[in-house]
Amino acid sequence: MKRLDARAPDFEAAFTSLLANREAESARVDAPVAEILAKVRAKGDEAVCAYTSRFDRLDLTPETMRITGAEVKEAASGVPQDLLDALNVAATRIEDFHRAQLPQDMKYTDSDGLTLGQRWTSLDAVGLYVPGGKAAYPSSVLMNAIPARVAGVKRLAMCVPTPGGVLNPLVLAAAKRAGVTEIYRVGGAQAVGAMAFGTETVAPVDRIVGPGNAWVAEAKRQVFGHVGIDSIAGPSEVVVVADAKNDPRLVALDLLAQAEHDELAQSILITDDAAFGHLVTEAVETELKTLSRAAIARASWRDFGAVIIVRDWEEAARLVDRLAPEHLELMVDEPEALFARVRHAGAAFLGRFCPEAVGDYVGGPNHVLPTSRTARFASGLSVYDFLKRTTFISSGPDALSRIGRAGVALATAEGLEAHALSISERLKIIDRG
Amino acid sequence: MKRLDARAPDFEAAFTSLLANREAESARVDAPVAEILAKVRAKGDEAVCAYTSRFDRLDLTPETMRITGAEVKEAASGVPQDLLDALNVAATRIEDFHRAQLPQDMKYTDSDGLTLGQRWTSLDAVGLYVPGGKAAYPSSVLMNAIPARVAGVKRLAMCVPTPGGVLNPLVLAAAKRAGVTEIYRVGGAQAVGAMAFGTETVAPVDRIVGPGNAWVAEAKRQVFGHVGIDSIAGPSEVVVVADAKNDPRLVALDLLAQAEHDELAQSILITDDAAFGHLVTEAVETELKTLSRAAIARASWRDFGAVIIVRDWEEAARLVDRLAPEHLELMVDEPEALFARVRHAGAAFLGRFCPEAVGDYVGGPNHVLPTSRTARFASGLSVYDFLKRTTFISSGPDALSRIGRAGVALATAEGLEAHALSISERLKIIDRG
């Protein structure tokens, strides 16, 4: 963990080093992934089953690739009721927020007499990748699936590896609650290939979302263009801006909630009180003694954690913008005023009783957010990812006669004669009355 | 050109072949592009000037990389007034449409007492790539630059190669009108590198947009993640749905306006009248005798053109959805009704007096649109490409006490103890009053 003081002469250099790339160099898997995708495209189910046998020690046939409704129901019946209730609270709140997010169509007639607009329509089919084993988070199923269904996507196919055939009941319960329409016990690059190109059993989708390992990420990169994909998530981060009125232990827990995700996660406290900063770092050490994921959290905090002392919140806002964090907590007296000064953050959590973990589960807004400073130009997952716009222009002869000549002039200047003629020949017809 | 009849037994096979990928296999340039990007990142201006000397036969220094305001003014002064007027008509209409497109922020307090919302902010800086030579379209400068400025982007840097030092006056006039803030006479992968990583002279940007050759496209692919990019455009297409009441020559010109872009472009007529289809193909042949870009248009029409005879417009709408065309013209009696049945198209042009070329220049909506069937999941360029969303959650103790327990349950189920504690420890404080 680093301590930085904005008044120190070496601050700029120390701060810049915090912005450094935390991407781990992942093994190059482009060639094996390309081979898997080509095989799945050429041989369909046969290839998918062969790879599943090899990678997941699971013998499938086209008939058993799909997890049946009965299996989902049975698995979900083993989930304790309080967890199902919690899942339902989360799902309902996520649905409500994303429904509020739905954009309106637009249509207007302008002074030249043209009717212009844009119309939103949902994608027909979406594929959701869910990692197997420990990385399978039911909350992630809700966050990826619900915006698609709220957007109006009819087909929502999910692929989840089940190494050795073991199903994850809470993940299946989340998929059921979120409205996933079909689930396949297939993972890895072969799952991405099946969803992108289709097989005899899996119909192709238009967009693939959801987190995955390096093979899945590379497969998504390679099928991009053929289908849409979501952004490839990097290591995650939180910036907590907190004054000395806060309980240091709560701030420490918020920092550790980020750090426990991943050794590459980054947790940064920005405060205007150096003594409070010390209290928080002491509290972090205390919590690390008992935290179940202490090994991961300790590595993250040691390598990438930071406490930054600032003169005032104005300075804090400027530093936040340079960090452009995925998550931003504002635990100060007037969080709205400070939020208004910040430009770049994936999601903000305002107030002393709004830890980031609320947003991971039950807040409502999406927890799939731009990582690694990409909040400078990117946004979290939303209904927009499952909608596309068609713009439209409607013109009659009067409107065309008002704007057509400018179009002819520009088309001619660009040397596109048929473009120019397609307008000018209509103008002639209009002029002839 | 192919003739297809939806009633013919072999229709499905013939139609499916129309959907085949038209991407040309482009030469692999990933290794040389990676080298250029690495050099630009390490050596800045020095590398940019060296590559410009090599590829564009132009000797630059850091002082002469930027095209001065005086140079832009002088170049623009050579553009005929009627062209400047046309540029202004186009720019004003594009501004108006994209201003209407600006989304609203959202904020509401829900029944649990949480205040939720999302806020749109613009990117700080955008880079616009403009190809040199013949492919430099002033309309493309307007279409890429104006949405960025309307979105509120402060810095809009443009890179355009000027082989041999020759400036394109109309492109510079378009850049000036569109509000580009700085212009560099640099092209290729080195321009993309300069904008992505920054040099002594070119400050880095957050997103790079605009068309380019294979080197530019590959460079954009490689810097993606570090900055945002737009989608890589494939060959372009139009579907014209027209009844027999239309002038066959106008329909032919609309089909040729697409075909004249590129040998890989695709122009498809869908009509319910076989005889009208024949008249249109005859008119295409007549126009090809005199069209300045006949060689390109003829190749496109020969290899990828099609006339499809349908039973009715319902069938036409289903085929349009499978084609998901970049451009869709509806030259029928009730274009709005037909448009309502279509789900997948980049941009639609409604009525007999609304040729697609209107949309290329002066309509107002963007002409940068999803190509090659990607309208199934992608949209045209818009103000959204230059904005990002920050979602926010504001919670006090009452609100947290209503939803917190569900969050604790899910965090615990996912094995994330600090997540659970960051909520449960606050709940304890609240319970203690």
Side-chain angles (χ1 to χ4, degrees):
Chain A
M1 189 272 302
K2 295 178 186 68
R3 286 177 206 278
L4 284 72
D5 190 319
R7 283 156 299 195
D10 64 345
F11 174 74
E12 184 56 33
F15 184 78
T16 304
S17 82
L18 281 186
L19 303 176
N21 200 337
R22 285 172 289 127
E23 290 292 343
E25 198 56 48
S26 56
R28 291 287 295 262
V29 291
D30 26 350
V33 163
E35 191 189 323
I36 293 171
L37 292 176
K39 280 258 172 69
V40 170
R41 193 169 192 175
K43 307 211 162 184
D45 285 347
E46 186 191 326
V48 171
C49 292
Y51 285 119
T52 302
S53 170
R54 185 163 135 200
F55 294 126
D56 291 342
R57 310 170 314 281
L58 178 64
D59 290 323
L60 289 183
T61 63
E63 290 70 38
T64 57
M65 278 168 59
R66 186 162 172 175
I67 300 178
T68 64
E71 285 176 288
V72 174
K73 210 168 167 183
E74 199 197 313
S77 73
V79 177
Q81 189 59 42
D82 66 322
L83 261 185
L84 290 178
D85 290 346
L87 214 51
N88 195 46
V89 168
T92 305
R93 293 192 52 87
I94 297 165
E95 278 164 358
D96 287 348
F97 182 82
H98 288 82
R99 211 171 286 133
Q101 197 177 51
L102 284 170
Q104 299 292 310
D105 289 349
M106 172 176 97
K107 184 176 181 178
Y108 64 94
T109 301
D110 67 21
S111 55
D112 287 321
L114 284 92
T115 298
L116 306 176
Q118 65 183 16
R119 192 181 67 180
W120 297 86
T121 42
S122 65
L123 278 58
D124 287 339
V126 165
L128 166 56
Y129 189 86
V130 176
K134 283 185 301 177
Y137 290 139
S139 61
S140 173
V141 173
L142 298 183
M143 290 290 184
N144 279 278
I146 288 175
R149 294 290 281 172
V150 168
V153 172
K154 294 275 184 295
R155 254 193 79 218
L156 180 51
M158 172 172 142
C159 280
V160 56
T162 61
V166 181
L167 300 177
N168 181 326
L170 196 53
V171 161
L172 294 182
K176 187 164 172 262
R177 174 59 183 83
V180 169
T181 56
E182 57 208 80
I183 310 177
Y184 302 94
R185 57 189 114 225
V186 176
Q190 58 275 21
V192 174
M195 292 192 283
F197 305 120
T199 70
E200 299 86 336
T201 301
V202 184
V205 302
D206 299 308
R207 188 180 182 110
I208 299 174
V209 298
N213 64 15
W215 292 65
V216 171
E218 175 60 27
K220 280 163 68 181
R221 267 194 204 96
Q222 292 189 19
V223 300
F224 175 59
H226 190 80
V227 298
I229 61 167
D230 55 359
S231 60
I232 312 288
S236 157
E237 64 267 334
V238 72
V239 171
V240 180
V241 182
D243 60 26
K245 295 182 193 168
N246 288 288
D247 180 337
R249 186 175 175 228
L250 293 181
V251 173
L253 286 170
D254 293 2
L255 295 168
L256 288 168
Q258 196 64 42
E260 74 177 343
H261 268 301
D262 183 357
E263 287 91 346
L264 293 172
Q266 183 167 50
S267 303
I268 297 177
L269 168 65
I270 299 182
T271 181
D272 59 351
D273 188 310
F276 177 74
H278 279 287
L279 293 176
V280 171
T281 55
E282 281 171 17
V284 166
E285 295 307 324
T286 306
E287 296 301 323
L288 280 173
K289 285 177 191 152
T290 56
L291 204 63
S292 57
R293 293 168 67 94
I296 294 169
R298 183 176 291 116
S300 158
W301 180 243
R302 178 192 64 215
D303 296 339
F304 302 110
V307 175
I308 305 177
I309 314 300
V310 292
R311 273 164 279 229
D312 53 37
W313 299 144
E314 187 63 45
E315 187 165 50
R318 282 197 301 274
L319 297 179
V320 167
D321 277 346
R322 291 179 63 190
L323 291 162
E326 183 189 12
H327 306 106
L328 173 66
E329 290 190 16
L330 300 179
M331 299 175 66
V332 298
D333 272 343
E334 293 179 17
E336 284 83 6
L338 179 50
F339 182 51
R341 292 189 207 167
V342 169
R343 290 178 52 77
H344 306 314
F349 303 86
L350 280 59
R352 306 183 199 280
F353 287 90
C354 196
E356 186 274 326
V358 163
D360 282 337
Y361 298 107
V362 291
N366 213 284
H367 80 191
V368 180
L369 292 165
T371 58
S372 307
R373 301 188 61 231
T374 58
R376 290 173 292 127
F377 56 83
S379 308
L381 198 73
S382 69
V383 293
Y384 300 98
D385 291 281
F386 304 103
L387 297 166
K388 67 270 181 334
R389 281 172 295 103
T390 303
T391 54
F392 57 90
I393 306 175
S394 173
S395 164
D398 291 352
L400 188 65
S401 67
R402 286 193 198 97
I403 65 163
R405 256 158 283 268
V408 174
L410 291 168
T412 305
E414 292 186 354
L416 296 173
E417 188 187 4
H419 282 67
L421 285 171
S422 74
I423 302 176
S424 63
E425 289 302 307
R426 282 175 170 87
L427 293 178
K428 275 190 202 164
I429 292 170
I430 297 167
D431 286 346
R432 283 200 298 265
Chain B
M1 189 272 302
K2 294 178 188 67
R3 285 176 207 278
L4 285 72
D5 190 320
R7 283 157 300 195
D10 64 345
F11 175 74
E12 185 54 34
F15 184 79
T16 303
S17 82
L18 281 185
L19 303 177
N21 200 335
R22 284 172 291 127
E23 291 293 343
E25 198 54 48
S26 57
R28 291 287 296 261
V29 291
D30 28 348
V33 164
E35 191 191 323
I36 293 171
L37 292 176
K39 280 258 172 69
V40 169
R41 193 168 192 175
K43 307 213 160 182
D45 285 348
E46 186 192 326
V48 171
C49 292
Y51 285 119
T52 303
S53 170
R54 185 162 134 202
F55 294 127
D56 291 342
R57 309 171 313 283
L58 178 65
D59 289 325
L60 288 183
T61 65
E63 291 70 37
T64 57
M65 276 169 60
R66 185 162 171 175
I67 300 178
T68 65
E71 285 177 287
V72 174
K73 210 168 168 182
E74 199 198 313
S77 73
V79 177
Q81 190 56 46
D82 67 321
L83 261 184
L84 290 178
D85 291 345
L87 214 49
N88 195 47
V89 168
T92 304
R93 292 192 53 86
I94 297 165
E95 277 164 359
D96 288 348
F97 182 82
H98 288 81
R99 211 171 286 132
Q101 196 176 50
L102 283 170
Q104 299 292 310
D105 289 349
M106 171 175 96
K107 184 177 181 177
Y108 65 93
T109 301
D110 67 22
S111 55
D112 286 321
L114 284 93
T115 298
L116 307 176
Q118 64 184 16
R119 193 182 66 179
W120 296 87
T121 41
S122 65
L123 278 58
D124 286 339
V126 165
L128 167 57
Y129 189 86
V130 176
K134 281 185 301 177
Y137 290 139
S139 60
S140 173
V141 173
L142 299 183
M143 290 291 184
N144 279 278
I146 289 175
R149 294 292 279 173
V150 168
V153 173
K154 294 275 183 296
R155 254 194 80 218
L156 180 52
M158 172 172 140
C159 281
V160 56
T162 60
V166 181
L167 300 177
N168 181 325
L170 196 54
V171 161
L172 294 183
K176 186 163 173 263
R177 174 60 184 81
V180 170
T181 56
E182 56 207 82
I183 310 177
Y184 302 95
R185 57 188 115 229
V186 175
Q190 59 274 21
V192 174
M195 293 192 283
F197 304 120
T199 71
E200 301 86 338
T201 301
V202 184
V205 301
D206 300 307
R207 188 182 181 108
I208 299 175
V209 299
N213 63 18
W215 293 65
V216 170
E218 176 60 27
K220 281 163 67 181
R221 266 195 206 97
Q222 292 190 17
V223 299
F224 176 59
H226 190 81
V227 297
I229 61 167
D230 56 358
S231 61
I232 313 287
S236 155
E237 64 267 335
V238 70
V239 170
V240 180
V241 182
D243 61 24
K245 295 181 191 169
N246 287 287
D247 180 337
R249 187 177 173 224
L250 294 181
V251 173
L253 286 169
D254 293 2
L255 295 168
L256 288 168
Q258 195 63 43
E260 74 177 344
H261 269 300
D262 184 353
E263 287 90 346
L264 292 172
Q266 183 166 51
S267 302
I268 297 177
L269 168 65
I270 298 181
T271 181
D272 59 350
D273 187 311
F276 177 75
H278 278 285
L279 291 176
V280 171
T281 55
E282 281 171 17
V284 166
E285 294 307 324
T286 305
E287 295 302 321
L288 280 173
K289 284 178 191 151
T290 57
L291 203 65
S292 57
R293 293 169 67 94
I296 294 169
R298 184 176 291 117
S300 157
W301 181 243
R302 179 193 62 217
D303 295 340
F304 302 110
V307 174
I308 305 177
I309 313 300
V310 292
R311 272 164 281 229
D312 53 38
W313 300 144
E314 188 62 45
E315 186 165 51
R318 283 198 301 274
L319 296 180
V320 166
D321 276 347
R322 291 179 64 190
L323 291 161
E326 183 188 14
H327 306 106
L328 173 65
E329 290 190 15
L330 301 178
M331 300 176 65
V332 298
D333 273 342
E334 294 179 19
E336 284 84 5
L338 179 49
F339 182 50
R341 291 188 208 170
V342 169
R343 289 178 52 78
H344 307 314
F349 303 86
L350 280 59
R352 305 183 200 280
F353 287 90
C354 196
E356 186 274 325
V358 163
D360 283 337
Y361 298 108
V362 291
N366 213 284
H367 80 192
V368 181
L369 292 165
T371 58
S372 308
R373 301 190 58 231
T374 58
R376 289 172 294 127
F377 57 82
S379 308
L381 197 73
S382 69
V383 294
Y384 300 98
D385 291 283
F386 305 103
L387 298 166
K388 68 270 181 333
R389 280 173 295 104
T390 303
T391 53
F392 57 91
I393 306 176
S394 173
S395 164
D398 290 352
L400 187 65
S401 67
R402 285 193 199 98
I403 66 164
R405 255 158 283 268
V408 174
L410 291 168
T412 305
E414 293 186 353
L416 297 173
E417 188 187 4
H419 281 67
L421 285 171
S422 74
I423 301 176
S424 62
E425 289 302 307
R426 283 176 170 87
L427 292 178
K428 277 190 199 162
I429 292 171
I430 296 167
D431 286 345
R432 283 200 298 265

